[in-house]
Amino acid sequence: MDGSDIDDVKQLLVKLAVIAEQLDTRSRGALQRIDASATTLDRSAQRWTEGGDDFSRRMLEALGTQARGSIAGATRQALAPLDAQLRQSAEAAKWAAEALAEQRKLLSRMQQSLLRRSLLALLAGSVLAVGASGYLAWRNLRSAVLGDDVLQAVHSGALVHCPDSQALCVRIDAHPRRSGPRGEYLVVQP
């Protein structure tokens, strides 16, 4: 693997890290907005409940002081549906806040899972890049060793151009030694 391939792999790894960081930042922003919305809904629900209770109590006290008997009963009857409606609205707001909190938890788990997967992909890419670099270095080293052997054979005169053709010729002993499992190779004279 040459230098430009290694640089390409490094650039790719840097880009993957930037993407993972951007995903993490966006997920955090979404979680913060969901948290803020859930908190706002919870506060609104509490205010509605407190406001409904306070409104009912004040109204009953004012009417009770003026006419305790029949007027107080009629007022309670008139305010009961409003109070029930306010309580239902408060319960609905509370339910929505709880649902948002649950969604926030789910988003947080998804963010962690996505972050783990991104890191695993980054690690896998790094391992592949290192493995490919090692393989290419090993292969080039192996070729270089064979090249050194051929160069040494040329310098010693054991490997030359044949005098009567353009083919390569090898100098061998009068009684050459054979090599290979079936003796298919002749050992070159050093």
Side-chain angles (χ1 to χ4, degrees), residues 8-154:
D8 289 345
V9 170
K10 286 180 182 177
Q11 288 176 356
L12 220 125
L13 290 175
V14 168
K15 287 179 182 178
L16 282 173
V18 168
I19 290 170
E21 181 63 33
Q22 288 175 349
L23 286 173
D24 186 45
T25 302
R26 287 182 181 173
S27 295
R28 284 187 189 143
L31 286 176
Q32 289 172 350
R33 287 190 297 277
I34 288 172
D35 266 340
S37 296
T39 303
T40 302
L41 276 174
D42 192 36
R43 286 182 187 151
S44 294
Q46 287 175 350
R47 278 184 274 168
W48 282 14
T49 300
E50 292 168 1
D53 290 344
D54 189 42
F55 176 75
S56 295
R57 189 175 9 87
R58 285 184 186 179
M59 194 61 125
L60 289 175
E61 286 174 4
L63 292 175
T65 56
Q66 292 176 4
R68 293 244 180 241
S70 63
I71 296 174
T75 303
R76 280 189 205 109
Q77 287 178 348
L79 292 178
L82 180 61
D83 185 44
Q85 189 176 17
L86 283 173
R87 287 184 189 275
Q88 286 176 346
S89 297
E91 287 298 319
K94 188 176 181 180
W95 176 84
E98 289 172 356
L100 278 175
E102 190 63 34
Q103 286 181 353
R104 180 188 53 81
K105 289 177 187 175
L106 180 63
L107 268 173
S108 178
R109 284 191 297 253
M110 289 172 58
Q111 176 193 15
Q112 290 171 356
S113 174
L114 181 62
L115 186 60
R116 274 189 237 115
R117 287 180 185 167
S118 298
L119 290 176
L120 283 175
L122 190 60
L123 179 64
S126 299
V127 168
L128 285 174
V130 167
S133 296
Y135 171 74
L136 288 175
W138 172 77
R139 192 178 75 183
N140 289 340
L141 182 62
R142 198 167 154 217
S143 297
V145 168
L146 181 61
D148 288 344
D149 290 345
V150 169
L151 187 61
Q152 183 180 2
V154 168

